[in-house]
């Protein structure tokens, strides 16, 4: 059974940093593209970042480009989202997701598996 579990969320002041982790189990992690999405209260889920199977390609939403870094460790079946220079607008529940394919994926419909999310709150 495919499972994804996020961790690392919390409360941080504006300008601070957090590192989110995504642990995969029950499947061949290195055969899937991985992505991070977020959903703020009253808003739709939005794309944050994506990384391809081997980690050679990444893509970011314009709103996080230059501040967030997505990475993965296939040997450990782990994905990461390093978030720096956090802003109050980054407050949301963050989800990791996995989808089949050879390249980066930027829309939620392309992802097959989702974690339950981890809350990030950035105070001003």
């Amino acid at each position: 059974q495919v499972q994804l579990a996020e961790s690392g969320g919390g409360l941080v002041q504006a300008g601070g940093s957090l590192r989110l982790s995504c642990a995969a189990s029950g499947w061949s992690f290195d055969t899937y593209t991985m992505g991070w999405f977020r959903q703020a209260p009253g808003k739709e889920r939005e794309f944050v970042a994506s990384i391809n199977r081997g980690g050679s390609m990444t893509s970011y939403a314009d709103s996080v480009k230059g501040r967030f870094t997505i990475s993965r460790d296939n040997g450990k079946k782990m994905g990461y989202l390093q978030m720096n220079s956090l802003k109050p607008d980054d407050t949301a529940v963050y989800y990791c997701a996995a989808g089949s394919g050879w390249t980066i994926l930027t829309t939620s419909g392309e992802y097959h598996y989702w974690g339950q999310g981890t809350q990030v709150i950035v105070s001003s």
Side-chain angles (χ1 to χ4, degrees), residues 12 32 34 40-41 53 63-64 73 79 92 95 107 112 116:
V12 64
Y32 285 81
M34 199 194 81
R53 301 179 178 188
S63 59
V64 307
D73 184 333
Y95 299 90
T107 60
H112 308 296
Q116 293 188 331

Side-chain angles (χ1 to χ4, degrees), residues 51-62:
I51 187 168
N52 70 334
R53 301 179 178 188
S56 61
M57 296 174 61
T58 58
S59 179
Y60 297 92
D62 288 343

Side-chain angles (χ1 to χ4, degrees), residues 78-97:
M78 292 290 296
Y80 305 98
L81 185 68
Q82 178 66 43
M83 305 187 296
N84 299 328
S85 302
L86 283 162
K87 306 174 182 179
D89 284 349
D90 295 318
T91 294
V93 177
Y94 283 71
Y95 299 90
C96 69

Side-chain angles (χ1 to χ4, degrees), residues 97-120:
S100 60
W102 292 95
T103 186
I104 54 175
L105 305 171
T106 61
T107 60
S108 60
E110 296 175 292
Y111 288 86
H112 308 296
Y113 306 108
W114 294 82
Q116 293 188 331
T118 185
Q119 177 74 58
V120 172

Side-chain angles (χ1 to χ4, degrees), residues 4-99:
L4 294 169
E6 303 93 338
S7 61
L11 174 63
V12 64
Q13 289 188 332
S17 298
L18 282 175
R19 187 194 195 201
L20 305 183
S21 298
C22 177
S25 61
W27 52 297
S28 300
F29 180 68
D30 60 357
T31 64
Y32 285 81
T33 289
M34 199 194 81
W36 287 92
F37 288 75
R38 67 186 182 186
Q39 187 166 18
K43 295 186 178 181
E44 294 188 352
R45 190 172 298 187
E46 65 174 0
F47 170 76
V48 174
S50 177
I51 187 168
N52 70 334
R53 301 179 178 188
S56 61
M57 296 174 61
T58 58
S59 179
Y60 297 92
D62 288 343
S63 59
V64 307
K65 202 170 292 183
R67 300 188 297 122
F68 290 11
T69 302
I70 188 172
S71 62
R72 64 191 297 164
D73 184 333
N74 288 339
K76 295 181 178 179
K77 292 189 176 182
M78 292 290 296
Y80 305 98
L81 185 68
Q82 178 66 43
M83 305 187 296
N84 299 328
S85 302
L86 283 162
K87 306 174 182 179
D89 284 349
D90 295 318
T91 294
V93 177
Y94 283 71
Y95 299 90
C96 69

